Amino acid sequence: MTPRDRLIFALDVATADEAENLVRLLAPEVGVFKVGLELFVSAGPEVVSRVRRAGAKAIFLDLKLHDIPTTMRAAARSAVGLGVELITCHADQAGIFADMDLGGAKLLGVTVLTSLGGEELEAMGYPPELQDPQALVLRRAALALAAGCAGVVCSGREAAAVRGLLGPEALVVCPGIRPASGEAHDQKRVMTPERAMAAGASHIVVGRPIRTAPDPVAAAQAMVQGIAAGLAQVPPA
Ligand code: C5P
């Protein structure tokens, strides 16, 4: 895997045309394009093949499934049928898929959204010992591991602890990535690309810092440089 293969760009736009333009622009710099709820709901499932035709080498369909088992399994079958490389469900529900053949798709368990911090977890009713995001992330990462997920989604701040729990092969995918001088937007648990990779991330997810940059190609290239610099700090296994 090259540093570029580890950069996941979030196509958080409302139309397939906008998504295609971004893929054409950024395909030389980005390893994986992420189709999330906004694009999937507004443009429909055919957006996946349009993103592929525009040049995406790998596609991450980030629907963060969370529902009753029958609905989850049916939705996962449909998602896999679209021919994507990565799909997500909330990690506490990953067990629903433990005996399912997901074809060529890898399942990632979303641990705790990077927009949530301790205050939000308290307001949501978590007991004091799970109001520390890292504690809840590790609890859910263990569920994802037991369910046979290929990996998890967590913030860079938990990447080292999660890598320790899941071992060297797991995918540790980190959103909430910001350049050192970047704005956090609605993200709470943010980190630079370099630090997230040095801490044990296998991939980073970046949306706004590339999409809204004056020069998105240069911003993507800077992210790839950050990935390479972070990887150089990881001790050999
Ligand atoms: O624009 P920004 O870089 O904050 O984009 C973050 C992307 O990562 C969004 O597409 C969001 O859905 C996704 N994500 C996240 N936190 C998670 C999982 C996914 O922010 N825990």
Side-chain angles (χ1 to χ4, degrees), residues 119-133:
E119 242 173 71
E120 287 81 11
L121 296 179
E122 182 183 5
M124 288 161 80
Y126 287 95
E129 67 275 17
L130 293 178
Q131 287 169 16
D132 167 20

Side-chain angles (χ1 to χ4, degrees), residues 148-171:
C149 285
V152 301
V153 182
C154 64
S155 91
R157 296 184 188 191
E158 298 100 33
V162 168
R163 174 63 66 205
L165 179 73
L166 300 187
E169 300 302 324
L171 301 183

Side-chain angles (χ1 to χ4, degrees), residues 12-227:
D12 293 333
V13 290
T15 67
D17 287 347
E18 286 171 275
E20 277 180 342
N21 288 338
L22 283 165
V23 175
R24 283 198 201 98
L25 181 70
L26 294 169
E29 329 299 334
V30 166
V32 183
F33 285 88
K34 184 171 91 74
V35 174
L37 276 179
E38 178 183 1
L39 183 59
F40 193 76
V41 170
S42 58
E46 55 279 7
V47 73
V48 171
S49 47
R50 287 186 62 176
V51 164
R52 179 83 68 191
R53 282 199 302 272
K57 288 170 292 295
I59 300 178
F60 173 9
L61 184 56
D62 183 24
L63 299 181
K64 302 188 180 70
L65 300 174
H66 195 279
D67 211 311
I68 59 169
T70 308
T71 305
M72 294 271 285
R73 292 170 73 93
R77 261 190 294 274
S78 299
V80 167
L82 294 171
V84 295
E85 281 73 17
L86 291 166
I87 60 172
T88 45
C89 70
H90 281 268
D92 50 305
Q93 295 207 313
I96 290 170
F97 302 122
D99 63 343
M100 248 180 100
D101 178 8
L102 297 174
K106 289 183 174 159
L107 178 65
L108 300 175
V110 176
T111 56
V112 177
L113 295 173
T114 41
S115 54
L116 301 177
E119 242 173 71
E120 287 81 11
L121 296 179
E122 182 183 5
M124 288 161 80
Y126 287 95
E129 67 275 17
L130 293 178
Q131 287 169 16
D132 167 20
Q134 178 157 308
L136 190 55
V137 165
L138 287 174
R139 175 85 66 104
R140 294 200 175 149
L143 292 174
L145 181 68
C149 285
V152 301
V153 182
C154 64
S155 91
R157 296 184 188 191
E158 298 100 33
V162 168
R163 174 63 66 205
L165 179 73
L166 300 187
E169 300 302 324
L171 301 183
V172 177
V173 174
C174 297
I177 298 297
R178 293 293 179 267
S181 58
E183 196 195 323
H185 304 108
D186 58 351
Q187 301 282 25
K188 287 270 162 66
R189 304 188 337 271
V190 297
M191 214 182 220
T192 65
E194 182 171 340
R195 284 188 61 205
M197 296 306 300
S202 62
H203 295 77
I204 57 170
V205 179
V206 187
R208 286 162 289 189
I210 292 176
R211 203 176 64 246
T212 65
D215 182 347
V217 170
Q221 288 168 344
M223 289 290 167
V224 173
Q225 278 165 16
I227 291 171

